[in-house]
Amino acid sequence: MAHPIEGILGVSMENIHQMVDVNTIIGDPIVSGETTIIPISKVSFGFASGGSDLPTQAAEKFAGGAGAGVTVKPVAFIVIKADGDVKLLELGGKPSPVEGILDSLPSLFEKIKSAAANKKAAKAEKADEKAENDEVKSEKKEVKVEKTVVKEEKTEDKTINDEKAAERLAKANAKVAAARAEAEAELKANNKE
């Protein structure tokens, strides 16, 4: 047989359960245009019960009682805009440290994403600069090779020109020698006459 205090506790807990559910803490969304507002409430409750068996000669009697109190206090609203922006609007009082941290999380995540994107962009920029520097170095090497080839071609041309000039000079010297010999022969012939 169940003790009478169990009946009192059971009825009290059942009534508290009916008053306090998830919809009491997080209210039903309220839609206004393109904005959705969700109320958040703080629920506090207290419960006390007591009783005693009263011994009598005829039968045991029970005397007891229970009491409960519930307070529902709105503390904030979650405002969701059409563009996806979500804000927590608190009603009076200072926010707790935990709420302050929760409020700052979205901006902290944005800052982290921004810093990561900036770092990635800087890394890509450095890679581009390195690629450009490598390309410039490669072009300088090509120019140097081209200058070396031109220099070698000029040296070869000079050698060829020097050989041709020596050949022409030899031919000219031969003509001069032949003309001198002919002039001397003519002179001797004229002197003999």
Coordinates of all heavy atoms in Angstrom, one line a residue, residues 5 10 14-15 47 83 90 136 143 171-172 190:
I5 N 1.8 10.3 1.7 CA 2.6 11.4 1.3 C 3.0 11.3 -0.2 O 3.2 12.2 -0.9 CB 3.9 11.5 2.2 CG1 4.7 12.8 1.9 CG2 4.9 10.4 1.9 CD1 4.1 14.0 2.6
G10 N 2.9 13.2 -5.7 CA 2.6 12.9 -7.1 C 1.7 14.0 -7.7 O 1.9 14.4 -8.8
E14 N 2.8 16.6 -10.6 CA 2.0 16.6 -11.9 C 1.5 17.9 -12.2 O 1.6 18.4 -13.4 CB 0.8 15.6 -11.7 CG 0.1 15.3 -13.0 CD -1.0 14.3 -12.9 OE1 -0.8 13.3 -12.2 OE2 -2.1 14.6 -13.4
N15 N 1.0 18.7 -11.3 CA 0.5 20.1 -11.5 C 1.7 21.0 -11.9 O 1.5 21.8 -12.8 CB -0.2 20.6 -10.3 CG -1.5 19.9 -10.1 OD1 -2.1 19.4 -11.0 ND2 -2.0 19.9 -8.9
F47 N 9.1 24.0 -4.0 CA 8.2 22.9 -3.6 C 8.5 22.5 -2.2 O 9.7 22.3 -1.8 CB 8.4 21.7 -4.6 CG 7.5 20.6 -4.2 CD1 6.2 20.6 -4.6 CD2 8.0 19.4 -3.6 CE1 5.3 19.5 -4.3 CE2 7.2 18.4 -3.3 CZ 5.9 18.4 -3.7
D83 N 17.3 38.5 -43.4 CA 18.6 38.3 -44.0 C 19.5 37.3 -43.2 O 20.6 37.1 -43.5 CB 19.3 39.7 -44.1 CG 19.6 40.3 -42.8 OD1 19.2 39.8 -41.7 OD2 20.2 41.4 -42.7
E90 N 17.9 41.5 -24.5 CA 17.7 41.2 -23.1 C 16.8 42.3 -22.5 O 16.8 43.4 -22.9 CB 19.0 41.1 -22.3 CG 19.8 39.9 -22.8 CD 21.1 39.8 -22.0 OE1 21.0 39.7 -20.8 OE2 22.2 39.8 -22.6
V136 N 60.9 36.7 -63.7 CA 61.9 37.8 -64.0 C 63.3 37.2 -64.1 O 64.0 37.5 -65.0 CB 61.8 38.9 -63.0 CG1 62.9 39.9 -63.1 CG2 60.4 39.7 -63.2
V143 N 68.0 36.5 -71.4 CA 68.7 37.7 -72.0 C 70.2 37.5 -71.9 O 70.9 37.8 -72.9 CB 68.2 39.0 -71.2 CG1 69.1 40.1 -71.6 CG2 66.8 39.3 -71.6
K171 N 95.6 39.6 -101.9 CA 95.4 39.8 -103.3 C 95.9 41.2 -103.8 O 96.5 41.3 -104.8 CB 93.9 39.6 -103.6 CG 93.4 38.2 -103.6 CD 91.9 38.2 -104.0 CE 91.4 36.7 -103.9 NZ 90.0 36.7 -104.2
A172 N 95.6 42.2 -102.9 CA 96.0 43.6 -103.2 C 97.5 43.6 -103.3 O 98.1 44.3 -104.2 CB 95.5 44.5 -102.2
N190 N 112.8 50.6 -121.2 CA 113.0 51.9 -121.6 C 114.4 52.4 -121.4 O 114.9 53.2 -122.2 CB 112.1 52.9 -120.8 CG 110.6 52.8 -121.3 OD1 110.4 52.3 -122.4 ND2 109.7 53.3 -120.5

